[in-house]
Short mmCIF file of all heavy atoms in Angstrom, two decimals:
data_model
loop_
_atom_site.label_atom_id
_atom_site.label_comp_id
_atom_site.label_asym_id
_atom_site.label_seq_id
_atom_site.Cartn_x
_atom_site.Cartn_y
_atom_site.Cartn_z
N LYS R 184 4.88 -18.92 -8.64
CA LYS R 184 4.94 -19.35 -10.05
C LYS R 184 3.72 -20.20 -10.42
O LYS R 184 3.12 -20.02 -11.48
CB LYS R 184 6.23 -20.14 -10.28
CG LYS R 184 6.47 -20.52 -11.74
CD LYS R 184 7.89 -21.04 -11.90
CE LYS R 184 8.19 -21.38 -13.33
NZ LYS R 184 9.61 -21.67 -13.52
N ARG R 185 3.37 -21.09 -9.55
CA ARG R 185 2.21 -21.95 -9.82
C ARG R 185 0.92 -21.11 -9.92
O ARG R 185 0.12 -21.28 -10.85
CB ARG R 185 2.08 -23.01 -8.71
CG ARG R 185 1.08 -24.11 -8.99
CD ARG R 185 1.16 -25.23 -7.95
NE ARG R 185 1.28 -24.75 -6.57
CZ ARG R 185 0.29 -24.24 -5.85
NH1 ARG R 185 -0.91 -24.13 -6.38
NH2 ARG R 185 0.49 -23.83 -4.60
N LEU R 186 0.76 -20.20 -8.99
CA LEU R 186 -0.45 -19.35 -9.00
C LEU R 186 -0.46 -18.44 -10.22
O LEU R 186 -1.50 -18.23 -10.86
CB LEU R 186 -0.51 -18.53 -7.71
CG LEU R 186 -0.82 -19.35 -6.45
CD1 LEU R 186 -0.41 -18.59 -5.20
CD2 LEU R 186 -2.30 -19.73 -6.41
N LEU R 187 0.71 -17.91 -10.54
CA LEU R 187 0.84 -17.03 -11.71
C LEU R 187 0.43 -17.79 -12.98
O LEU R 187 -0.34 -17.29 -13.81
CB LEU R 187 2.28 -16.56 -11.75
CG LEU R 187 2.83 -15.59 -12.77
CD1 LEU R 187 4.17 -15.07 -12.25
CD2 LEU R 187 2.99 -16.18 -14.14
N GLN R 188 0.95 -19.01 -13.10
CA GLN R 188 0.65 -19.78 -14.31
C GLN R 188 -0.81 -20.19 -14.36
O GLN R 188 -1.39 -20.33 -15.43
CB GLN R 188 1.58 -21.01 -14.38
CG GLN R 188 3.00 -20.59 -14.72
CD GLN R 188 4.00 -21.73 -14.73
OE1 GLN R 188 3.92 -22.64 -13.89
NE2 GLN R 188 4.96 -21.69 -15.64
N ALA R 189 -1.41 -20.36 -13.20
CA ALA R 189 -2.84 -20.73 -13.17
C ALA R 189 -3.74 -19.53 -13.46
O ALA R 189 -4.80 -19.69 -14.07
CB ALA R 189 -3.18 -21.33 -11.80
N TRP R 190 -3.35 -18.34 -13.03
CA TRP R 190 -4.31 -17.23 -13.03
C TRP R 190 -3.96 -16.07 -13.95
O TRP R 190 -4.87 -15.36 -14.41
CB TRP R 190 -4.50 -16.69 -11.60
CG TRP R 190 -5.32 -17.60 -10.77
CD1 TRP R 190 -4.87 -18.48 -9.82
CD2 TRP R 190 -6.75 -17.76 -10.83
NE1 TRP R 190 -5.93 -19.16 -9.27
CE2 TRP R 190 -7.10 -18.74 -9.87
CE3 TRP R 190 -7.77 -17.17 -11.58
CZ2 TRP R 190 -8.42 -19.14 -9.66
CZ3 TRP R 190 -9.09 -17.57 -11.37
CH2 TRP R 190 -9.40 -18.55 -10.43
N HIS R 191 -2.71 -15.82 -14.23
CA HIS R 191 -2.37 -14.59 -14.98
C HIS R 191 -2.96 -14.65 -16.39
O HIS R 191 -2.67 -15.58 -17.15
CB HIS R 191 -0.85 -14.40 -15.04
CG HIS R 191 -0.45 -13.11 -15.68
ND1 HIS R 191 -0.82 -11.88 -15.15
CD2 HIS R 191 0.26 -12.83 -16.81
CE1 HIS R 191 -0.35 -10.92 -15.93
NE2 HIS R 191 0.30 -11.47 -16.95
N GLY R 192 -3.82 -13.71 -16.70
CA GLY R 192 -4.44 -13.66 -18.02
C GLY R 192 -5.65 -14.56 -18.17
O GLY R 192 -6.22 -14.66 -19.25
N ARG R 193 -6.04 -15.22 -17.07
CA ARG R 193 -7.25 -16.07 -17.12
C ARG R 193 -8.46 -15.18 -16.90
O ARG R 193 -8.61 -14.58 -15.83
CB ARG R 193 -7.14 -17.13 -16.04
CG ARG R 193 -8.33 -18.05 -15.93
CD ARG R 193 -7.89 -19.27 -15.12
NE ARG R 193 -8.97 -19.89 -14.38
CZ ARG R 193 -8.80 -20.75 -13.39
NH1 ARG R 193 -7.57 -21.08 -13.00
NH2 ARG R 193 -9.83 -21.28 -12.77
N GLY R 194 -9.31 -15.05 -17.92
CA GLY R 194 -10.43 -14.11 -17.82
C GLY R 194 -9.89 -12.72 -17.59
O GLY R 194 -9.03 -12.25 -18.32
N ARG R 195 -10.31 -12.08 -16.52
CA ARG R 195 -9.90 -10.70 -16.25
C ARG R 195 -8.86 -10.63 -15.12
O ARG R 195 -8.65 -9.58 -14.52
CB ARG R 195 -11.12 -9.84 -15.92
CG ARG R 195 -12.19 -9.86 -17.04
CD ARG R 195 -13.25 -8.78 -16.83
NE ARG R 195 -12.70 -7.47 -17.10
CZ ARG R 195 -13.31 -6.33 -16.81
NH1 ARG R 195 -14.50 -6.35 -16.24
NH2 ARG R 195 -12.75 -5.17 -17.09
N ALA R 196 -8.22 -11.75 -14.83
CA ALA R 196 -7.25 -11.79 -13.72
C ALA R 196 -5.85 -11.40 -14.17
O ALA R 196 -5.40 -11.81 -15.24
CB ALA R 196 -7.22 -13.19 -13.11
N THR R 197 -5.18 -10.62 -13.35
CA THR R 197 -3.76 -10.30 -13.54
C THR R 197 -3.02 -10.72 -12.28
O THR R 197 -3.43 -10.37 -11.17
CB THR R 197 -3.57 -8.78 -13.77
OG1 THR R 197 -4.26 -8.40 -14.96
CG2 THR R 197 -2.10 -8.42 -13.89
N TYR R 198 -1.94 -11.47 -12.44
CA TYR R 198 -1.17 -11.89 -11.28
C TYR R 198 -0.04 -10.89 -11.00
O TYR R 198 0.71 -10.52 -11.90
CB TYR R 198 -0.56 -13.29 -11.48
CG TYR R 198 0.01 -13.81 -10.19
CD1 TYR R 198 -0.79 -14.49 -9.28
CD2 TYR R 198 1.34 -13.54 -9.81
CE1 TYR R 198 -0.29 -14.91 -8.05
CE2 TYR R 198 1.84 -13.95 -8.59
CZ TYR R 198 1.01 -14.64 -7.71
OH TYR R 198 1.48 -15.04 -6.49
N ALA R 199 0.07 -10.48 -9.76
CA ALA R 199 1.15 -9.58 -9.34
C ALA R 199 2.08 -10.31 -8.39
O ALA R 199 1.65 -10.80 -7.33
CB ALA R 199 0.58 -8.34 -8.66
N ILE R 200 3.35 -10.40 -8.75
CA ILE R 200 4.37 -10.94 -7.84
C ILE R 200 4.45 -9.98 -6.65
O ILE R 200 4.52 -8.76 -6.84
CB ILE R 200 5.71 -11.07 -8.58
CG1 ILE R 200 5.55 -12.06 -9.75
CG2 ILE R 200 6.84 -11.47 -7.64
CD1 ILE R 200 6.69 -12.02 -10.76
N SER R 201 4.39 -10.52 -5.40
CA SER R 201 4.09 -9.66 -4.26
C SER R 201 4.97 -9.89 -3.03
O SER R 201 4.51 -10.42 -2.02
CB SER R 201 2.61 -9.83 -3.85
OG SER R 201 1.74 -9.65 -4.95
N PRO R 202 6.24 -9.49 -3.07
CA PRO R 202 7.00 -9.45 -1.81
C PRO R 202 6.39 -8.34 -0.94
O PRO R 202 6.22 -7.22 -1.42
CB PRO R 202 8.42 -9.07 -2.26
CG PRO R 202 8.26 -8.42 -3.61
CD PRO R 202 6.99 -8.95 -4.22
N ARG R 203 6.07 -8.66 0.32
CA ARG R 203 5.34 -7.67 1.12
C ARG R 203 6.10 -6.36 1.23
O ARG R 203 5.64 -5.32 0.80
CB ARG R 203 5.06 -8.22 2.52
CG ARG R 203 4.26 -7.24 3.33
CD ARG R 203 3.87 -7.71 4.71
NE ARG R 203 2.58 -7.13 5.00
CZ ARG R 203 1.48 -7.81 5.23
NH1 ARG R 203 1.50 -9.11 5.29
NH2 ARG R 203 0.34 -7.20 5.42
N PHE R 204 7.30 -6.41 1.84
CA PHE R 204 8.26 -5.31 1.86
C PHE R 204 9.59 -5.85 2.37
O PHE R 204 9.65 -6.94 2.93
CB PHE R 204 7.75 -4.09 2.62
CG PHE R 204 7.53 -4.18 4.12
CD1 PHE R 204 7.54 -3.02 4.90
CD2 PHE R 204 7.30 -5.39 4.77
CE1 PHE R 204 7.33 -3.06 6.27
CE2 PHE R 204 7.08 -5.44 6.16
CZ PHE R 204 7.10 -4.27 6.90
N SER R 205 10.64 -5.09 2.16
CA SER R 205 11.99 -5.59 2.45
C SER R 205 12.13 -6.17 3.86
O SER R 205 12.82 -7.17 4.03
CB SER R 205 13.02 -4.49 2.26
OG SER R 205 12.98 -4.03 0.96
N PRO R 206 11.54 -5.56 4.90
CA PRO R 206 11.75 -6.10 6.24
C PRO R 206 11.25 -7.53 6.44
O PRO R 206 11.75 -8.23 7.32
CB PRO R 206 10.98 -5.13 7.15
CG PRO R 206 10.99 -3.85 6.41
CD PRO R 206 10.86 -4.24 4.96
#
Side-chain angles (χ1 to χ4, degrees):
K184 185 168 182 171
R185 190 171 44 76
L186 289 161
L187 183 164
Q188 288 176 322
W190 285 102
H191 185 61
R193 178 163 151 196
R195 304 192 71 191
T197 298
Y198 191 87
I200 298 166
S201 307
R203 183 177 214 118
F204 67 157
S205 301

